[in-house]
Amino acid sequence: MLKHTSPAARATVLVDYLPHHLAVSVTDDGSPPDPATPAGATAGIQPTGGHGLIGMRERARLYGGTVTIGPRAEGGFGVHLTLPTSAREVRDVQRRED
């Protein structure tokens, strides 16, 4: 987030670890970065040439999860990740053994 927003932006990170999945939400309040400043420069972050949002989706899918990415109705931007936990697999295996 530091790379794509202004230093004045507020970010919220929520992590929910539930019996069958892990959910992580990262949102910001929509404070835009200064267009004259290169991405991440104010936070001391160098451009990495990474895979960004597409890479997030690919990695989540690899582990059976999902990612929802986009602007929020109330302003700002949000990323929501859901990954299954091993609890589901353990319960399913126990049922098969019974």
Side-chain angles (χ1 to χ4, degrees):
M1 286 198 77
L2 291 174
K3 196 171 169 183
H4 299 289
T5 192
S6 75
R10 289 181 176 241
T12 301
V13 178
L14 299 174
V15 178
D16 287 322
Y17 187 77
L18 302 167
H20 303 292
H21 70 275
L22 170 71
V24 180
S25 294
V26 181
T27 59
D28 72 22
D29 65 1
S31 298
D34 179 355
T37 305
T42 57
I45 299 171
Q46 298 299 316
T48 62
H51 301 286
L53 303 178
I54 293 171
M56 283 186 210
R57 284 190 179 108
E58 290 173 352
R59 288 186 294 275
R61 193 174 317 131
L62 178 67
Y63 294 102
T66 60
V67 175
T68 304
I69 303 166
R72 300 181 321 137
E74 60 272 25
F77 199 80
V79 176
H80 180 76
L81 165 71
T82 302
L83 293 172
T85 64
S86 59
R88 176 184 298 152
E89 292 177 24
V90 171
R91 192 182 74 212
D92 291 343
V93 169
Q94 288 174 341
R95 280 187 192 161
R96 281 183 257 154
E97 291 176 353
D98 289 341

